Amino acid sequence: MKEHCGVFGVVGPDSTRLTYEGLKLLQHRGQESAGISWIENGKIKTSKGLGLVGEALNPGDIGISSFSIGHVRYSTTGATTLQEAQPLDDGEISVSFNGTITNHFKFGRYSTDTEFILGFLSKEISSGRSLESSAKAFMDVADGAFSLLILSVSGEIVALRDPRGFRPLVLGEIGENKVIASEDSAIRQLGGRVVGSVHPGEMVILNERGFYREKVHTLQTTTCSFEYIYFSRPDSEIDGISVYTSRIKLGEILAEHHPAKGDIVVPVPDSSRPIALGFSRASGIPLEEALVRTVTSKRSFIMPSNEARNDVLKEKFGVVESAINEKRVILVDDSIVRGNTMKRLVTSLKSAGAKEVHVRIGSPMIKYPCYMGIDFPKRSELIGNLGSEAMIAREIGADSVEYLSVNEMEQAIGRTTLCKACFTGYYPLKGRYDLSNLESVFAR
Ligand code: SF4
């Protein structure tokens, strides 16, 4: 399972600087490439590169403009090449997008869904349609997840959030600047005020006069559960619900319904810390930060290949032996995907002296790939398909493994309007698909 992308766009006097800073604050959403598009001399210019924002972009190369959009990327489709980094522009419009257009392969030979978006919009515009009308036509035909920013040379940003609202998208103001971003925490950290979420199925136009909002589509909302469990920053709110509070509650409910006899609770840093804290508070078992993430490590699941991922795993965690020696450890994580990381951690804890290791997971068992913006391995590689919790415990060498149920997860997050497809196999898509075909297109 791999991270997807983050988008940030600004209309206002400080546009390009704020977009650059905003991308740095969304770095957790994609670390393979970064880019910014802006308007200069009546044309769209784009600067992009591979790596983290600070490596990929040189602020000196980015022009000063009142209109810009940016992107940090993990490639959910396509390879990690500079040509495929976003934003993608044709000189007149530029697109920057978070999600996956699940049906893009039905529209011809586009190598990525971003190319499909740009190609579709360009064709509509050259046939005489306005950008707004072209964007609505795109929403009619596209299936899947998209939080999409379109920058136009005419001096506006058109933003769309797909009708299911799979990915977050938030409006805000920073001084005189109008801002749109994947997460509200980035807007607040830049000293801004959050106006609110872009609603599922809504189109928002940002120009120098302000925001114009229009509901284009209505479908049952199914926001990605993993935005709460793992992806988003804990200091973000998604559709009015605090990510941090959700994670604490995931841990509390885990402790209540899936207790374990242990001496200490140990989080797998970083995203499972609040879940472990909730578990510790509810169970009364002390929390110990006995796993140390090496500062230079990237999250293994956003690494582009198995080889890269395994290299990262080797150097990812250190163990505080004095904290775990002779202890019964309750190891808390947000999810298990292939099981490589968890198996390695259990082995490390036991070799460092842990008497027992009980694994508790703050999400339901993942059994199906995602085709809505998160890069998953194929179904056969998901450890959840091994069978029971006892079989998974045996496979990873743990004394026990327990997961939350789907109902318990919904209760913790405090909403039922969530996508749960990777747990249940029910995909909330508009179209009907041959799932094995989707797997061959999207899963790795
Ligand atoms: S399938 Fe899972 S990861 Fe994908 S959108 Fe749904 S909840 Fe999120």
Side-chain angles (χ1 to χ4, degrees):
M1 180 168 64
K2 299 185 183 63
E3 185 65 90
H4 39 155
C5 305
V7 295
F8 202 92
V10 181
V11 173
D14 214 5
S15 174
T16 40
R17 184 189 71 80
L18 286 173
T19 296
Y20 178 80
E21 296 299 331
L23 290 182
K24 286 207 240 167
L25 300 176
L26 294 176
Q27 190 74 83
H28 61 290
R29 296 186 73 90
Q31 302 171 2
E32 287 189 2
S33 66
I36 294 182
S37 285
W38 67 95
I39 301 177
E40 191 175 311
N41 299 324
K43 281 277 170 200
I44 290 183
K45 302 272 172 144
T46 298
S47 175
K48 52 193 176 183
L50 298 179
L52 303 176
V53 176
E55 301 158 342
L57 298 172
N58 175 1
D61 295 341
I62 301 165
I64 294 172
S65 167
S66 297
F67 307 92
S68 63
I69 60 171
H71 192 262
V72 285
R73 178 174 194 252
Y74 177 83
S75 57
T76 50
T77 65
T80 310
T81 63
L82 194 50
Q83 290 78 6
E84 287 160 356
Q86 297 181 37
L88 202 61
D89 83 85
D90 65 1
E92 301 292 315
I93 58 168
S94 179
V95 297
S96 165
F97 135 82
N98 171 206
T100 292
I101 308 300
T102 316
N103 60 345
H104 83 272
F105 57 90
K106 294 187 172 176
F107 291 88
R109 294 191 177 178
Y110 296 102
S111 61
T112 65
D113 43 6
T114 323
E115 279 181 17
F116 161 62
I117 299 170
L118 184 65
F120 180 91
L121 292 171
S122 299
K123 206 166 137 204
E124 293 292 309
I125 292 167
S126 49
S127 75
R129 282 184 113 147
S130 67
L131 174 58
E132 290 76 13
S133 151
S134 304
K136 287 183 194 172
F138 170 77
M139 219 191 242
D140 283 339
V141 302
D143 200 358
F146 51 91
S147 282
L148 167 67
L149 306 187
I150 311 158
L151 173 66
S152 160
V153 271
S154 63
E156 63 182 10
I157 296 172
V158 174
L160 301 176
R161 187 175 179 200
D162 68 74
R164 299 279 191 200
F166 282 106
R167 307 284 146 223
L169 195 61
V170 180
L171 296 170
E173 291 171 333
I174 306 175
E176 295 169 50
N177 302 276
K178 310 285 171 218
V179 184
I180 186 150
S182 290
E183 293 185 43
D184 62 343
S185 50
I187 297 172
R188 281 188 276 104
Q189 206 174 339
L190 289 168
R193 179 181 80 84
V194 175
V195 172
S197 290
V198 176
H199 301 304
E202 194 176 35
M203 175 175 75
V204 182
I205 299 164
L206 288 75
N207 57 30
E208 284 176 318
R209 293 184 298 284
F211 300 115
Y212 164 80
R213 309 178 66 153
E214 183 180 340
K215 185 86 170 172
V216 180
H217 271 281
T218 314
L219 287 174
Q220 170 67 49
T221 301
T222 54
T223 301
C224 172
S225 307
F226 268 107
E227 289 288 348
Y228 291 97
I229 298 164
Y230 178 92
F231 297 128
S232 293
R233 281 173 42 163
D235 54 341
S236 287
E237 280 190 4
I238 304 168
D239 300 330
I241 296 176
S242 157
V243 171
Y244 181 78
T245 307
S246 300
R247 290 182 189 167
I248 292 279
K249 285 190 183 154
L250 288 167
E252 288 173 351
I253 292 177
L254 196 54
E256 196 183 325
H257 295 275
H258 305 274
K261 287 199 173 113
D263 303 308
I264 54 171
V265 175
V266 174
V268 178
D270 291 317
S271 52
S272 62
R273 281 200 173 109
I275 304 176
L277 181 59
F279 193 104
S280 167
R281 281 180 188 164
S283 63
I285 301 170
L287 184 85
E288 292 282 359
E289 291 278 2
L291 287 173
V292 179
R293 183 182 286 272
T294 18
V295 174
T296 52
S297 289
K298 296 175 182 177
R299 291 167 163 192
S300 69
F301 99 129
I302 63 166
M303 299 309 292
S305 68
N306 263 326
E307 206 180 318
R309 191 161 40 245
N310 287 335
D311 282 351
V312 166
L313 280 180
K314 278 182 209 146
E315 50 145 58
K316 194 164 147 182
F317 296 106
V319 180
V320 184
E321 292 192 12
S322 57
I324 55 125
N325 196 27
E326 286 298 307
K327 299 268 170 49
R328 294 170 302 168
V329 174
I330 303 170
L331 183 61
V332 176
D333 205 354
D334 45 66
S335 54
I336 314 183
V337 183
R338 291 181 176 82
N340 318 6
T341 308
M342 191 51 80
K343 192 171 184 172
R344 201 175 179 90
L345 283 175
V346 172
T347 309
S348 303
L349 288 169
K350 289 207 166 175
S351 346
K355 237 175 18 188
E356 292 172 18
V357 179
H358 300 275
V359 174
R360 292 296 178 270
I361 301 298
S363 66
M365 198 184 283
I366 294 174
K367 292 184 173 177
Y368 303 88
C370 174
Y371 308 124
M372 286 83 69
I374 309 301
D375 195 27
F376 267 56
K378 293 195 186 310
R379 220 183 139 186
S380 56
E381 286 185 42
L382 297 169
I383 198 171
N385 289 313
L386 260 190
S388 64
E389 289 171 333
M391 287 165 91
I392 293 171
R394 256 199 309 283
E395 172 63 23
I396 63 175
D399 295 276
S400 72
V401 174
E402 289 189 31
Y403 293 78
L404 284 177
S405 70
V406 169
N407 284 347
E408 289 161 355
M409 176 195 73
E410 288 177 333
Q411 192 191 333
I413 296 173
R415 68 187 279 191
T416 52
T417 51
L418 292 167
C419 174
K420 293 153 278 202
C422 47
F423 316 123
T424 62
Y426 169 72
Y427 291 87
L429 291 163
K430 283 196 290 188
R432 284 175 171 269
Y433 300 90
D434 172 348
L435 291 185
S436 56
N437 187 35
L438 283 188
E439 184 171 46
S440 68
V441 174
F442 293 108
R444 298 191 181 211

